[in-house]
Amino acid sequence: MSYVEEVYQNLEKKHPAEPEFLEAAKRILDSLDPIVKAHEDVYRKNALLERFVEPERIISFRVPWTDDKGVNHVNLGYRVQFNSAIGPYKGGLRFHPSVNQSILKFLGMEQILKNSLTSLPIGGGKGGSDFDPHGKSDAEVMRFCQSFMTELFKYIGKDTDVPAGDIGVGGREVGFLYGQYKRLTGLYEGVLTGKGLSFGGSLARTEATGYGLVYITDEMVKGAGKTLAGKTVLVSGSGNVAQYAVKKATELGAKVVTVSDSAGYIYDPNGINFEVLCQIKQVERARIKVYADRVPGSVYHEGEKPWGEKCDIALPCATQNEITGSDAEKLIANGCWCVAEGANMPSDADAIDRYEKARVESGFLFMPAKAANAGGVAVSALEMSQNSERLSWSFEEVDKKLKDIMVNIYKNVSTTAEKYGHAGDFVTGANIAGFEKVADAMLAQGLV
Ligand code: NDP
Ligand code: 2IT
């Protein structure tokens, strides 16, 4: 049995009730096989993979809060501090009813390699709660955030662990969390990223994940001798990542014809209107079906995902496993030749097998999440730099750095894939390129 198989089998025995984590770990370990084989003796001697797959620590706690009617509730809160070999733990907080330890461990493990790919000094972490912000008043969200931070503040800090947003955690939540951290510690420090511009936030952080996704897609498409301009694009989700993917793809001349939420999707043959989308999602916090009432010619498909529509490029920007094997079949049958992941692990294992087959047969392009959506955390790291030097950079400066980072990630991922004999396989390229730096730092720092 190979070293990666041994480590995976052990992990399965230890964590049988964590399917999402096991799935992510298996995919990562499998694709690390070429680099592991090349360094097997050193890695084994240092128990490198055994350490890499276990978080340094997991903090879990209860979060009691009171709703507007005076009824008390208790949610679960977590922070997974996965790996600090190359920098302080860094990664978002997710508030969604599906959140549990397995999902946060999968996200945390992905985050280690993603953060490494940015080339910036940030380790991997993730956290969140099974709290659902949908339908809650601002006051309820504030009380929840204050209670969550009343426990979390003991474990984070600008040089130890720097959370940010993810699903269900945007500018409003980060503001409330920051206020409570400051109140409890008396410190005005860059302990969170994605902050408002008036209290240490970075310009372009709001846009960063969606813009970065489109920058790297553009680079990959160019690498295949094609252009983004004039292409038809499907986007799923209608939150932070989806909104700015729509905006940048449209600016670069593509036509985005879909957005969605968990209840259904919108098809707009004239191209999604970014201003209407933002009014509905950022201002009114309403459901996406409202878009069809506002924009003539658009149609709402209740209970369906957008993957049956014709397109050139698909940018899944909602959640994990939203593209199954049969969705991937539909996409490819309808002419899709490129997928880049804005969400974390949106394609399930069958879908990825399907893309791989199409890559070998006809040059299908696939950029996995840890490379494609790294722009968000990259600009978070730039926010940390600005906070440390107590300066704010201009939008253009941050956007330029973001673009350079995404172009470099593309180069690094594609040359690493080539170096290990997997040219064009960006899954292998991204995992190995991210892992190399983390492995090197872990070996240098000894058995910790
Ligand atoms: P938001 O909360 O802003 O938006 C999430 C969107 O996804 C909403 O449209 C939501 O619909 C939809 N969605 C969430 N859960 C499900 C589900 N189970 N089924 C179908 N649709 C769902 O989150 P973000 O835009 O920030 O995050 C989207 C994805 O991008 C996540 O995978 C996140 O981990 C990833 N990501 C985010 C980054 C960031 O900077 N924000 C950085 C890198 C990755 P509804 O309102 O109906 O729930
Ligand atoms: O998945 C992700 O990379 C994020 N949610 C962003 C993390 C961050 O620290 O900005």
Side-chain angles (χ1 to χ4, degrees):
M1 196 187 304
S2 73
Y3 183 28
V4 296
E5 281 165 358
E6 242 174 69
V7 171
Y8 180 73
Q9 288 205 355
N10 238 319
L11 207 61
E12 247 184 341
K13 276 192 212 128
K14 283 189 192 163
H15 307 289
E18 298 187 351
E20 295 85 0
F21 172 59
L22 289 174
E23 186 186 341
K26 173 140 189 45
R27 290 200 216 170
I28 289 172
L29 285 169
D30 281 350
S31 72
L32 292 180
D33 199 47
I35 187 174
V36 171
K37 285 215 167 95
H39 304 276
E40 182 153 347
D41 287 353
V42 181
Y43 285 7
R44 272 189 188 271
K45 186 164 160 262
N46 289 278
L48 185 77
L49 290 185
E50 291 84 341
R51 289 187 290 138
F52 175 72
V53 296
E54 287 296 341
E56 289 176 20
R57 74 188 62 73
I58 299 176
I59 297 134
S60 72
F61 47 93
R62 66 173 184 239
V63 189
W65 60 281
T66 306
D67 70 20
D68 289 345
K69 296 194 185 95
V71 179
N72 294 326
H73 302 266
V74 179
N75 284 97
L76 302 173
Y78 306 88
R79 186 73 181 161
V80 178
Q81 298 185 328
F82 218 123
N83 192 303
S84 61
I86 64 169
Y89 310 106
K90 181 84 197 85
L93 296 171
R94 176 176 291 192
F95 291 171
H96 191 272
S98 64
V99 163
N100 57 35
Q101 195 162 294
S102 169
I103 288 187
L104 296 177
K105 278 175 67 181
F106 121 61
L107 290 164
M109 195 177 199
E110 284 281 302
Q111 198 83 45
I112 304 168
L113 301 179
K114 180 193 312 192
N115 293 4
S116 169
L117 283 173
T118 66
S119 78
L120 300 167
I122 38 179
K126 201 84 192 186
S129 171
D130 59 358
F131 173 75
D132 184 0
H134 285 107
K136 304 290 190 303
S137 69
D138 286 350
E140 287 172 330
V141 170
M142 182 177 74
R143 286 196 292 277
F144 177 81
C145 288
Q146 290 177 339
S147 182
F148 184 86
M149 185 54 85
T150 299
E151 189 59 31
L152 186 69
F153 89 97
K154 299 168 195 165
Y155 309 102
I156 61 176
K158 70 176 169 55
D159 296 315
T160 50
D161 184 353
V162 183
D166 193 80
I167 292 177
V169 178
R172 174 182 63 172
E173 290 75 15
V174 169
F176 293 148
L177 290 163
Y178 188 76
Q180 185 72 353
Y181 179 86
K182 182 164 67 66
R183 181 195 206 184
L184 290 165
T185 61
L187 297 170
Y188 204 102
E189 62 173 26
V191 67
L192 292 160
T193 59
K195 300 185 291 298
L197 298 178
S198 54
F199 56 98
S202 173
L203 283 159
R205 175 61 187 88
T206 307
E207 293 82 355
T209 311
Y211 277 22
L213 169 67
V214 176
Y215 292 148
I216 200 167
T217 304
D218 189 35
E219 212 50 31
M220 171 168 63
V221 165
K222 278 192 215 147
K226 301 184 182 180
T227 60
L228 207 54
K231 301 300 181 296
T232 301
V233 176
L234 306 182
V235 166
S236 65
S238 49
N240 172 266
V241 181
Q243 289 160 21
Y244 291 95
V246 167
K247 184 164 189 228
K248 187 51 76 179
T250 310
E251 269 174 31
L252 296 189
K255 183 158 82 170
V256 181
V257 292
T258 62
V259 282
S260 69
D261 62 20
S262 55
Y265 81 92
I266 292 287
Y267 178 75
D268 185 345
N270 299 313
I272 296 292
N273 182 318
F274 173 74
E275 274 72 35
V276 174
L277 176 64
C278 289
Q279 171 65 27
I280 294 169
K281 285 291 163 183
Q282 294 181 8
V283 181
E284 299 168 23
R285 295 181 186 273
R287 306 304 294 161
I288 199 61
K289 72 172 178 198
V290 174
Y291 185 99
D293 305 332
R294 308 259 169 98
V295 180
S298 68
V299 184
Y300 176 62
H301 297 267
E302 175 89 29
E304 286 182 54
K305 296 187 283 187
W307 314 127
E309 300 289 351
K310 269 181 99 63
C311 71
D312 298 291
I313 297 168
L315 303 176
C317 297
T319 194
Q320 63 272 5
N321 295 331
E322 55 169 316
I323 303 184
T324 61
S326 65
D327 294 326
E329 281 296 342
K330 267 192 268 175
L331 281 168
I332 293 166
N334 279 329
C336 175
W337 46 265
C338 172
V339 171
E341 299 184 324
N344 284 307
M345 208 166 82
S347 311
D348 78 4
D350 291 343
I352 291 179
D353 288 346
R354 197 58 200 84
Y355 306 152
E356 177 58 13
K357 188 163 167 269
R359 183 182 73 78
V360 173
E361 286 168 4
S362 59
F364 189 90
L365 301 172
F366 173 57
M367 190 57 74
K370 62 176 68 66
N373 71 30
V377 76
V379 173
S380 277
L382 301 180
E383 182 170 326
M384 290 165 71
S385 300
Q386 293 168 77
N387 292 163
S388 294
E389 63 175 14
R390 299 189 193 285
L391 289 174
S392 304
W393 306 339
S394 68
F395 187 95
E396 289 67 29
E397 200 174 347
V398 180
D399 190 38
K400 161 103 180 42
K401 287 188 202 294
L402 167 64
K403 197 169 184 178
D404 290 346
I405 289 169
M406 299 314 295
V407 169
N408 275 330
I409 292 177
Y410 174 71
K411 280 192 195 133
N412 190 7
V413 164
S414 46
T415 53
T416 305
E418 239 174 271
K419 180 173 144 191
Y420 284 90
H422 289 253
D425 170 0
F426 301 142
V427 174
T428 300
N431 283 319
I432 295 184
F435 183 74
E436 269 179 329
K437 181 176 169 189
V438 177
D440 190 59
M442 286 178 75
L443 290 173
Q445 290 169 25
L447 193 72
V448 294

